[in-house]
Amino acid sequence: MAILYGIGVGPGDPELLTIKAVRTIEKCDVIVAPAAADGGISIALETAKEYIKEGTEVITKHFPMGGSERMQKVGEIYTLIESKLKEGKNVVFLTIGDPYVYSTYIHLLTYIEDHGFNVQTVPGITSFCAAASIVNRTLVVGDEPLLIIPGSRVEDIKDEKYVVIMKMYKHEENIIRVLEEKGFDYVYVSRAGREGQNILKDKEKILQERDYMSLILASKE
């Protein structure tokens, strides 16, 4: 039976793909990669393209961020992948970062498994782990917990000392306000490991940056 492989390609640096991810990409028949817009660039595909063998079928599809359009488009993509699996072709679905961290792959996985197909997942390096290495910053230590939270839920931060804030686009003002009120030291990283990477600690510069592919690492004594 054909297999759907969900592959995390990491934060965007081609050298951060795992050996297992590369070997799986090389042996598959079809590559499916999400893009932020119709006809737009797929960051996941750009990251993995040097490992895709000539002759492999490559399909780039727009994944809307929300609304009724999203459900329609995602349904079309699921149907497409299902058709390729029924043809006996092994399919790779590429996703930036790790497949199980804020990924559209999670919904795809449920759909494909519910329809009786075999699914295997290959983990990828998360953006916040890559960012911590880039800025030489401890994510968590000792017996402390690490809170990973989307920007829309920043008000939920309580007594944690170590926090990762993801999906922060359009929530920058409130995020910075909450972090400063709670006494956090923080660093902003956008496009970790990719062209255009930016590291900022100044509040005003962060508010001017507003990059969709961004996160904040925060900690306090």
Side-chain angles (χ1 to χ4, degrees), residues 85-159:
L85 293 171
K86 285 181 177 178
E87 292 173 14
K89 296 178 179 179
N90 291 323
V91 179
V92 160
F93 183 85
L94 301 177
T95 181
I96 202 76
D98 181 86
Y100 285 115
V101 179
Y102 294 125
S103 169
T104 52
Y105 168 75
I106 297 168
H107 307 292
L108 172 62
L109 172 73
T110 302
Y111 178 91
I112 296 298
E113 285 185 331
D114 286 349
H115 284 71
F117 293 100
N118 187 6
V119 179
Q120 296 183 23
T121 306
V122 180
I125 293 173
T126 62
S127 57
F128 57 88
C129 286
S133 295
I134 290 166
V135 300
N136 294 318
R137 188 182 184 101
T138 299
L139 278 175
V140 68
V141 67
D143 294 327
E144 294 290 341
L146 173 63
L147 177 64
I148 302 169
I149 193 168
S152 60
R153 298 279 302 275
V154 70
E155 302 281 357
D156 292 348
I157 297 174
K158 302 302 181 185
D159 300 322

Side-chain angles (χ1 to χ4, degrees), residues 4-216:
L4 169 67
Y5 295 93
I7 295 184
V9 301
D13 181 347
E15 293 186 342
L16 291 182
L17 269 77
T18 66
I19 294 172
K20 186 171 185 177
V22 170
R23 288 176 175 169
T24 304
I25 290 168
E26 289 176 341
K27 71 180 182 182
C28 275
D29 306 299
V30 181
I31 305 290
V32 178
D38 283 321
I41 294 174
S42 167
I43 298 172
L45 181 60
E46 287 296 304
T47 303
K49 65 181 181 181
E50 65 185 83
Y51 307 114
I52 299 173
K53 288 189 174 180
E54 187 176 350
T56 303
E57 183 179 3
V58 178
I59 302 169
T60 304
K61 286 289 185 180
H62 171 41
F63 271 65
M65 298 309 297
S68 58
E69 181 192 8
R70 172 183 172 82
M71 297 309 298
Q72 178 184 348
K73 287 281 189 179
V74 169
E76 293 173 1
I77 294 164
Y78 293 177
T79 302
L80 170 66
I81 291 174
E82 185 178 6
S83 69
K84 297 297 180 181
L85 293 171
K86 285 181 177 178
E87 292 173 14
K89 296 178 179 179
N90 291 323
V91 179
V92 160
F93 183 85
L94 301 177
T95 181
I96 202 76
D98 181 86
Y100 285 115
V101 179
Y102 294 125
S103 169
T104 52
Y105 168 75
I106 297 168
H107 307 292
L108 172 62
L109 172 73
T110 302
Y111 178 91
I112 296 298
E113 285 185 331
D114 286 349
H115 284 71
F117 293 100
N118 187 6
V119 179
Q120 296 183 23
T121 306
V122 180
I125 293 173
T126 62
S127 57
F128 57 88
C129 286
S133 295
I134 290 166
V135 300
N136 294 318
R137 188 182 184 101
T138 299
L139 278 175
V140 68
V141 67
D143 294 327
E144 294 290 341
L146 173 63
L147 177 64
I148 302 169
I149 193 168
S152 60
R153 298 279 302 275
V154 70
E155 302 281 357
D156 292 348
I157 297 174
K158 302 302 181 185
D159 300 322
E160 296 85 5
K161 292 183 178 180
Y162 297 93
V163 178
V164 171
I165 302 174
M166 303 181 69
K167 301 174 73 171
M168 61 176 293
Y169 185 58
K170 295 185 178 180
H171 299 284
E172 290 89 350
E173 284 92 350
N174 195 45
I175 291 168
I176 299 299
R177 178 187 62 79
V178 171
L179 291 178
E180 293 189 345
E181 286 179 356
K182 292 181 177 291
F184 278 94
D185 174 66
Y186 56 85
V187 59
Y188 166 101
V189 182
S190 63
R191 307 193 182 201
R194 295 172 48 215
E195 183 178 352
Q197 173 183 293
N198 206 359
I199 300 167
L200 300 171
K201 291 188 176 182
D202 180 77
K203 173 183 176 179
E204 296 306 320
K205 290 182 179 179
I206 292 172
L207 295 179
Q208 291 171 11
E209 172 85 356
R210 297 186 186 277
D211 193 302
Y212 179 76
M213 301 296 291
S214 61
L215 57 82
I216 278 181

